[in-house]
Amino acid sequence: MPASAETVEKRLHFVHQEGQQVFKFAVRKMYEVCRDLLARNNVKPEEVRLLIPHQANRRIITGTADRLGLKGDHVVINIEDYGNTTSGTLPLATRDAVSSGRLRKGDLVLFAAVGAGYTVGASLWRWAY
């Protein structure tokens, strides 16, 4: 939509989202992709040492962790320290987990994200360092 005095006045050039709909989708899909990945690899959630999720929203993270049955000490949350750094959230959270001793050699770590365009993904690693 080309900018004009009218479209600018009506604030038509700003991103709008339905927050509640996005929240529900993110929790449901991040849980489902993690659940399916664990099942495909014959891993029970309690075998996962850490869930390192995309740091978009604390409620999305805790909602996903709750559905998986993971307690707080098995989930990395650092959004209060850095905010949502988009593609940097997983590397920053991983670095924090390693440097604090929460992630050690041999641990199973579950990475998960829901992002722009409703993309969803998860990855299960055996930490080797």
Side-chain angles (χ1 to χ4, degrees), residues 1 11 21 86 94 113:
M1 177 180 302
R11 302 181 58 83
Q21 178 183 337
T86 63
T94 303

Side-chain angles (χ1 to χ4, degrees), residues 22-71:
V22 171
F23 170 80
K24 288 178 181 178
F25 175 86
V27 172
R28 185 179 79 249
K29 296 308 280 185
M30 195 148 48
Y31 162 71
E32 289 173 355
V33 73
C34 288
R35 177 201 63 201
D36 294 349
L37 177 61
L38 293 175
R40 189 168 59 242
N41 286 280
N42 296 312
V43 173
K44 296 180 180 116
E46 57 269 17
E47 296 175 77
V48 172
R49 173 70 185 113
L50 282 179
L51 167 63
I52 300 181
H54 172 56
Q55 305 288 310
N57 175 296
R58 176 180 271 283
R59 288 182 52 234
I60 292 170
I61 296 168
T62 57
T64 301
D66 289 347
R67 285 184 175 201
L68 287 168
L70 298 175
K71 303 296 181 208

Side-chain angles (χ1 to χ4, degrees), residues 1-14:
M1 177 180 302
S4 69
E6 181 182 350
T7 62
V8 171
E9 184 177 301
K10 291 181 179 179
R11 302 181 58 83
L12 298 177
H13 300 283
F14 292 87

